[in-house]
Amino acid sequence: MKFDTLQQGIRFYENYARVSGFDTRLYSTKKRKSDGKISLKYYVCNKEGFRETKTSIKLQKEKTNNQN
């Protein structure tokens, strides 16, 4: 679907989620390199998993290396 404004899209998804029995949350935001303005926002079901951060991936690698 396309919306005239970001706010209209967010409102639609939040209303749909409420009617369907789930909640939403902001998953990630992307900014344009040229001017730093937000170009994309991902909203997901609140039960959607989280992306791993670079720090958590680094810690997992360190744990694996220390066990060997």
Side-chain angles (χ1 to χ4, degrees), residues 13-57:
Y13 188 56
E14 288 175 345
N15 287 333
Y16 169 75
R18 191 175 355 269
V19 169
S20 299
F22 65 95
D23 201 6
T24 63
R25 67 178 170 81
L26 178 63
Y27 182 68
S28 71
T29 303
K30 304 238 183 221
K31 293 183 179 181
R32 292 187 291 225
K33 290 182 180 180
S34 60
D35 58 8
K37 288 187 178 180
I38 294 172
S39 62
L40 191 63
K41 283 189 175 186
Y42 288 99
Y43 278 84
V44 296
C45 170
N46 66 328
K47 301 207 185 234
E48 174 80 18
F50 289 92
R51 290 187 304 157
E52 291 187 13
T53 63
K54 290 180 182 179
T55 305
S56 67
I57 293 170

Side-chain angles (χ1 to χ4, degrees), residues 2-6 8:
K2 284 191 174 188
F3 300 93
D4 293 330
T5 67
L6 177 61
Q8 286 177 340

